[in-house]
Amino acid sequence: ETQSHILNNCPYNKALWCLRHDTILDLTVQCLKSNGIECLVESPYPGVEAQLQPDLIITNNRRRMITILDIKSPYDKVVNIDAAREANVSYYTQLASNIANHTRTPTKVVTMCVCSMGSWDSNNDAVLLDVGLSKTTVAKLAQLCIRKAIAISHNIFRRHISLDDDRDVATA
């Protein structure tokens, strides 16, 4: 089994992948809200018919912009980050169009990637600056997210290895 499989694909670890994602989401929401940035968390946009509920819908009234931000935690390879970003844009483009038509406000889809082994996608800084965070705040958020991603991935790996040890004993 590869690291990628253990940290991002093994069904046995799914609850911990979700914990990693939700922890990064919670840190991001706390950061946005403590900086006075309005956001909807895993909710539909009011007045827009849609089944989709992205991680965040951020309204920047100062810039008259709405941002659909979804958080991903792919394995640490550029190809995986690019694939996550492309899939996100494809998945949420219609929702962005519906929100833009409803609000008459430009709406875009972006992805924040904090990889399972702690890589911080270089595009994250621009995404977070664009929604209204300062460079200092983005740097602090990055450190927190990276630390948490690594810690949870470490727990995933340890749990998986102990499961393998249990299997070895059972088959011996």
Side-chain angles (χ1 to χ4, degrees):
E1 294 175 307
T2 65
Q3 275 185 333
S4 176
H5 170 77
I6 292 168
L7 295 176
N8 295 81
N9 300 104
C10 181
Y12 181 74
N13 299 320
K14 185 173 183 177
L16 290 173
W17 312 334
C18 292
L19 175 64
R20 183 176 55 217
H21 169 274
D22 292 348
T23 300
I24 293 165
L25 175 60
D26 291 344
L27 290 168
T28 305
V29 168
Q30 289 170 14
C31 185
L32 292 168
K33 288 187 175 183
S34 69
N35 283 277
I37 298 170
E38 182 183 330
C39 61
L40 294 171
V41 182
E42 296 178 327
S43 299
Y45 195 86
V48 174
E49 290 288 324
Q51 298 291 325
L52 303 178
Q53 297 181 2
D55 290 327
L56 294 166
I57 301 176
I58 303 164
T59 302
N60 185 327
N61 291 321
R62 188 172 48 87
R63 292 187 182 169
R64 287 211 24 86
M65 172 68 71
I66 296 173
T67 302
I68 296 171
L69 188 152
D70 211 54
I71 294 171
K72 298 294 182 196
S73 187
Y75 189 68
D76 302 54
K77 287 189 177 180
V78 172
V79 66
N80 297 337
I81 294 169
D82 290 344
R85 194 178 300 113
E86 288 171 21
N88 241 23
V89 169
S90 175
Y91 192 70
Y92 289 114
T93 295
Q94 186 59 54
L95 176 61
S97 177
N98 293 349
I99 292 172
N101 289 337
H102 177 73
T103 62
R104 307 237 185 272
T105 303
T107 304
K108 64 182 175 177
V109 178
V110 297
T111 305
M112 182 174 136
C113 289
V114 182
C115 297
S116 56
M117 291 183 53
S119 294
W120 177 260
D121 180 14
S122 58
N123 291 335
N124 292 349
D125 290 3
V127 164
L128 295 168
L129 290 168
D130 194 49
V131 298
L133 294 177
S134 71
K135 285 183 182 181
T136 303
T137 302
V138 170
K140 287 178 185 174
L141 178 60
Q143 287 178 345
L144 285 171
C145 290
I146 289 166
R147 239 183 280 145
K148 291 293 187 177
I150 291 170
I152 294 168
S153 291
H154 176 76
N155 289 341
I156 291 170
F157 201 75
R158 286 183 58 207
R159 179 174 186 247
H160 196 88
I161 296 302
S162 73
L163 173 66
D164 285 346
D165 290 345
D166 292 345
R167 286 184 198 147
D168 291 344
V169 170
T171 59

